[in-house]
Amino acid sequence: MRAIVCPAFGSPLELTHLPAPALGAGQVRIAVAAAGVNFADTLFIAGKYQEKVAPPLIPGMELAGTIIEVGEGVTGLATGDRVMAAVTGGAFAEEAIAAQTDVIRLPDQLDFVTAAGFPVAYGTSHLGLKHKAALRPGETLVVHGAAGGVGLTAVEIGVALGAQVIATAGGPDKVQIALDHGAHHGIDYKAEDIRERVKDLTGGRGADVIYDPVGGAVFDASLRSIAPDGRILVIGFASGTVPQIPANILLVKNVTVIGYWWGAYRKLNPALVRDSLAECMEWWAEGKLKPHVSKTLPLADAAAALELLKSRAATGKVVLTV
Ligand SMILES: NC(=O)c1ccc[n+]([C@@H]2O[C@H](COP(=O)([O-])OP(=O)(O)OC[C@H]3O[C@@H](n4cnc5c(N)ncnc54)[C@H](OP(=O)(O)O)[C@@H]3O)[C@@H](O)[C@H]2O)c1
């Protein structure tokens, strides 16, 4: 099969031919039609992701396609099923192996390109906001990096859960994308002070919940923008800087900082992840979620696709077609 391979951590990606991966019990083989691109892939191939696979490795954490082989013990899935799946690497290839628990059948109306970018971003934001942060209707939610992969889904899910959503992003075009996806207010953090604007928009109180995939200075601004008794959901560090948290501020403001990694829940509580994605699919069918794929590239251009994310040129999802 054709596959994108990372020969060593930090080395350039190569398009190459490999034997198809072996199929184990409880797994299915999928002919990949499209694969979603995530910021985490850039960390994975640099050896900086929290879950490490020894190189040579195939990147790619989510995909959509057709089941072509079913492993021993698999129930409820069959060859020919159109599916999407989350995987720990392996999606940037013509064939991928996924655990049955990580595979979801697609409704006919959901195309492969849209589905390929669905599980990680919507899964992360739905489980994070509903289960981890327990976001309630009427609360104020600030979403940082709101035009990015996970950020834009957090905007939509925040709105679907009945929150007042304030989107922050770098530049007016990105802020507009978040507004187009339902955010009630936007802050361009290249030009405006996050704390001042959040305080203005909340009558001086601050946000009840903050969703932060950016880290660094943006996280520091969150600490100063959160309402007393508020919750900050730590999603990631796209800025490259892992925040250090002064515990005195947490104490004085009664702030809860919630560490959260969606991928871990695929093993910790697969039923919770499946229920969460099932609700996302329902909301998609009802028109509450409008996945935004800003660019599709052929598999061979995986390196260029990752560069779009690293250079902050991407919005919503970038998807590779196979
Ligand atoms: N905890 C979890 O379970 C989980 C799940 C999925 C993703 N994540 C993490 O969430 C973060 C975002 O992932 P993603 O796939 O949504 O990425 P993405 O689509 O590239 O979005 C990242 C956003 O971060 C902002 N950003 C700020 N500084 C940046 C920089 N130096 N380089 C790149 N982007 C920068 C960009 O928005 P502006 O230009 O508007 O600032 C961009 O839209 C990553 O750290 C990823 O590892 C965590």
Side-chain angles (χ1 to χ4, degrees), residues 39 124 148-150 169-170 174 189 213 235 237-238 260-262 309 312:
F39 192 87
T124 298
V150 292
K174 287 188 170 182
Y189 50 45
I235 299 293
F237 318 110
Y260 169 50
W261 175 25
W262 178 76
L309 272 65
R312 299 165 81 166

Side-chain angles (χ1 to χ4, degrees), residues 15-310:
L15 178 66
T16 182
H17 281 86
L18 289 178
L23 180 71
Q27 299 178 327
V28 297
R29 183 186 306 281
I30 300 167
V32 180
V37 178
N38 286 281
F39 192 87
D41 292 310
T42 69
L43 305 173
F44 196 59
I45 61 176
K48 293 180 181 163
Y49 190 61
Q50 52 258 40
E51 197 168 24
K52 291 193 176 40
V53 169
L57 63 87
I58 301 174
M61 300 184 171
E62 58 183 345
L63 59 94
T66 306
I67 294 181
I68 51 173
E69 195 180 352
V70 173
E72 203 187 311
V74 170
T75 52
L77 293 170
T79 54
D81 284 352
R82 297 171 72 254
V83 295
M84 63 184 180
V87 290
T88 306
F92 294 178
E94 285 178 330
E95 291 183 18
I97 302 294
Q100 170 180 2
T101 47
D102 288 329
V103 177
I104 301 218
R105 275 218 302 271
L106 297 179
D108 291 343
Q109 305 82 345
L110 186 52
D111 65 90
F112 284 140
V113 166
T114 308
F118 199 97
V120 172
Y122 281 111
T124 298
S125 294
H126 183 276
L127 199 68
L129 291 172
K130 189 168 176 180
H131 175 72
K132 294 289 285 188
L135 181 67
R136 294 184 292 271
E139 286 192 313
T140 302
L141 167 70
V142 168
V143 177
H144 293 311
V150 292
L152 200 54
T153 62
V155 167
E156 292 187 338
I157 284 167
V159 171
L161 290 170
Q164 278 293 309
V165 177
I166 301 172
T168 81
D173 295 350
K174 287 188 170 182
V175 168
Q176 189 57 50
I177 288 173
L179 293 170
D180 292 345
H181 282 255
H184 302 93
H185 306 281
I187 300 174
D188 171 2
Y189 50 45
K190 280 190 175 157
E192 299 174 284
D193 183 79
I194 293 175
R195 175 178 178 275
E196 264 176 34
R197 289 280 285 125
V198 171
K199 293 274 175 175
D200 277 356
L201 291 167
T202 56
R205 217 175 74 79
D208 299 299
V209 175
I210 300 183
Y211 181 101
D212 184 11
V214 178
V218 166
F219 182 90
D220 298 341
S222 298
L223 276 182
R224 292 182 286 116
S225 319
I226 191 81
D229 212 17
R231 293 95 78 198
I232 302 178
L233 201 53
V234 177
I235 299 293
F237 318 110
S239 65
T241 304
V242 177
Q244 303 302 308
I245 303 172
N248 58 325
I249 296 183
L250 307 187
L251 182 152
V252 170
K253 290 179 77 173
N254 275 300
V255 170
T256 305
V257 176
I258 305 168
Y260 169 50
W261 175 25
W262 178 76
Y265 279 97
R266 286 169 40 214
K267 293 197 184 91
L268 278 174
N269 196 340
L272 184 68
V273 171
R274 294 181 72 79
D275 288 351
S276 161
L277 279 171
E279 183 158 59
C280 291
M281 300 291 281
E282 279 168 29
W283 288 355
W284 169 81
E286 291 165 12
K288 289 182 185 166
L289 307 180
K290 297 191 172 16
H292 175 57
V293 176
S294 61
K295 196 149 183 83
T296 56
L297 294 164
L299 178 66
D301 291 346
L306 291 172
E307 196 50 44
L308 288 174
L309 272 65
K310 281 165 85 174

